[in-house]
Amino acid sequence: MLLLMGGFVIAGPSGILAWGENQRLLEQRREKLVDLESQRDRLKNRVALLDANKVDPDLAGELLRSNLNVARPDEMVMLIKR
């Protein structure tokens, strides 16, 4: 029984051999969390700019032009290949 428990301590899913892999995965997930938090902050800012009581005119114009394909008569539209 002690040998079995010792084997799990060394080679088990949370044992000594898996410790390095777990640390690497933890660091990757922390980096992903930082990326997701910055993306969330950018989206939060855009939502705040689109508040119904005080809409940012520049953002509203940008969204109208991109989503509805509208332009003023004095504007020139340039298509850019992506």
Side-chain angles (χ1 to χ4, degrees):
M1 190 61 137
L2 288 176
L3 288 174
L4 181 63
M5 287 174 46
F8 277 118
V9 167
I10 293 173
S14 60
I16 294 171
L17 295 178
W19 189 261
E21 177 70 15
N22 290 340
Q23 291 297 322
R24 186 182 62 78
L25 288 173
L26 178 62
E27 186 59 35
Q28 284 178 349
R29 289 181 178 143
R30 283 184 178 153
E31 290 172 4
K32 179 76 173 173
L33 180 62
V34 168
D35 292 340
L36 290 173
E37 285 175 343
S38 66
Q39 183 180 2
R40 180 196 62 196
D41 291 340
R42 282 192 306 272
L43 290 172
K44 222 184 243 189
N45 182 40
R46 285 183 71 94
V47 168
L49 290 174
L50 289 174
D51 183 22
N53 296 328
K54 53 182 186 216
V55 174
D56 180 44
D58 291 333
L59 182 58
E62 175 188 334
L63 290 173
L64 282 172
R65 286 178 178 81
S66 66
N67 293 337
L68 299 177
N69 294 323
V70 297
R72 293 189 313 234
D74 63 339
E75 290 181 330
M76 186 170 144
V77 177
M78 298 177 69
L79 300 176
I80 300 173
K81 292 183 181 178
R82 292 186 186 210

